[in-house]
């Protein structure tokens, strides 16, 4: 069952610009995580935001969470060519008998042009 | 180095020929999971294990088996592979699953082609 849905599906920007990706989900969650995947490689955890948090920062990453709208956004500031990757949101929920597994969205493909 | 390893990384096989993809983690994690990734579908969970001898189905378990005899290993078994199991497979592990956690560490992936 797909929980998160990222938007846009693809994003192309110039180096130095900011990149914003959005994620919407359907059910109550305990936390939401963002992962990055370089082409064909394993996913790397970027940041986790808990359901009682509204905003979190990590380096050039800023994540917001609006549980009333069931949505999150990932902002990458001053993007670099090395940020080119696919970005996935994933939710963790223990509500309604859920086991707390990670449920992933389909991802946003970010391309940062030098 | 703390890591999740998968073998093989690439595999071409034929329909019906049993295969096993191994997964091993050296972080003493309780939780392990298998995902498949297909274009346009994102990552979907196949099976997961919350501890030794405890496994459960994910969203797409049909055609797969797993076992968890030791904490560090979680092999994925395809008894009779079919072309619709051609995919990119990821193993992942996590130190604990209780809230508010769930962060997972992913292996490098196994690209499987079933002819």
């Amino acid at each position: 069952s797909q929980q998160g849905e990222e938007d846009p599906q693809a994003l192309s920007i110039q180096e130095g610009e900011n990149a914003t990706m959005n994620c919407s989900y359907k059910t109550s969650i305990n936390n939401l995580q963002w992962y990055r995947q370089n082409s064909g490689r394993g996913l790397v955890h970027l940041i986790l935001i808990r359901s009682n948090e509204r905003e979190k920062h990590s380096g050039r990453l800023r994540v917001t969470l609006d549980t009333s709208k069931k949505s999150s956004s990932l902002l990458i500031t001053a993007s670099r060519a090395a940020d080119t990757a696919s970005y996935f949101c994933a939710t963790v929920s223990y509500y309604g008998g859920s086991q707390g597994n990670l449920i992933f969205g389909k991802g946003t493909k970010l391309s940062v042009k030098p | 180095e703390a890591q999740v390893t998968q073998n093989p990384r690439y595999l071409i096989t034929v329909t019906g020929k049993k295969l096993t993809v191994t997964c091993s983690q050296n972080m003493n994690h309780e939780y392990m999971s298998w995902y498949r990734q297909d274009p346009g579908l994102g990552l979907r969970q196949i099976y997961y294990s919350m501890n030794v001898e405890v496994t459960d189905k994910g969203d797409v378990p049909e055609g797969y088996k797993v076992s968890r005899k030791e904490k560090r290993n979680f092999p994925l078994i395809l008894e009779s592979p079919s072309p619709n199991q051609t995919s990119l497979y990821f193993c992942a592990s996590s130190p604990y699953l209780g809230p508010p956690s769930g962060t997972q560490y992913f292996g490098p992936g196994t690209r499987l082609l079933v002819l």
Side-chain angles (χ1 to χ4, degrees):
Chain A
S1 54
Q2 222 74 34
Q3 166 80 301
E5 288 287 337
E6 288 92 341
D7 169 60
Q9 290 185 355
L11 180 60
S12 182
I13 58 174
Q14 294 294 133
E15 213 167 23
E17 293 179 341
N18 295 342
T20 299
M21 289 158 264
N22 302 297
C23 170
S24 59
Y25 57 92
K26 297 190 177 90
T27 63
S28 296
I29 61 171
N30 291 86
N31 67 65
L32 184 145
Q33 303 175 30
W34 286 90
Y35 286 79
R36 184 186 73 219
Q37 182 184 32
N38 290 86
S39 182
R41 294 177 179 253
L43 280 75
V44 174
H45 178 257
L46 294 175
I47 195 164
L48 179 153
I49 186 164
R50 298 182 174 87
S51 59
N52 61 354
E53 296 175 314
R54 291 296 165 257
E55 188 171 312
K56 205 159 181 182
H57 297 254
S58 176
R60 292 183 297 112
L61 305 180
R62 174 178 165 250
V63 169
T64 62
L65 179 64
D66 187 336
T67 53
S68 66
K69 294 181 179 175
K70 291 189 169 56
S71 68
S72 173
S73 68
L74 171 67
L75 168 67
I76 305 174
T77 59
S79 61
R80 305 166 183 167
D83 294 327
T84 294
S86 290
Y87 292 81
F88 294 87
C89 71
T91 56
V92 176
S93 174
Y94 296 88
Y95 295 96
S98 293
Q99 294 286 339
N101 297 312
L102 271 179
I103 308 294
F104 284 88
K106 296 178 185 177
T108 292
K109 202 168 204 173
L110 173 66
S111 175
V112 182
K113 300 185 190 316
Chain B
E1 182 192 349
Q3 59 183 348
V4 178
T5 56
Q6 295 178 228
N7 281 294
R9 294 289 314 280
Y10 304 92
L11 180 59
I12 301 174
T13 190
V14 294
T15 298
K17 187 176 180 183
K18 180 179 178 180
L19 67 92
T20 299
V21 184
T22 64
C23 172
S24 183
Q25 49 93 5
N26 61 1
M27 296 171 278
N28 202 37
H29 287 170
E30 287 82 16
Y31 181 91
M32 297 185 75
S33 181
W34 276 103
Y35 298 88
R36 61 177 289 173
Q37 184 177 30
D38 303 288
L41 295 175
L43 278 92
R44 294 177 293 168
Q45 190 177 49
I46 303 170
Y47 268 95
Y48 64 97
S49 168
M50 300 182 88
N51 215 325
V52 175
E53 303 292 2
V54 179
T55 63
D56 212 341
K57 296 177 182 177
D59 292 323
V60 288
E62 295 77 22
Y64 304 94
K65 279 175 58 176
V66 292
S67 69
R68 187 94 182 271
K69 295 187 171 61
E70 308 163 279
K71 199 171 189 179
R72 61 183 293 131
N73 296 324
F74 190 44
L76 179 70
I77 302 153
L78 284 72
E79 295 269 0
S80 183
S82 62
N84 65 12
Q85 292 178 299
T86 292
S87 188
L88 179 57
Y89 291 88
F90 290 101
C91 180
S93 71
S94 179
Y96 45 82
L97 206 59
S101 58
T103 302
Q104 292 187 20
Y105 300 81
F106 281 78
T110 294
R111 196 170 287 279
L112 172 65
L113 172 62
V114 183
L115 301 172

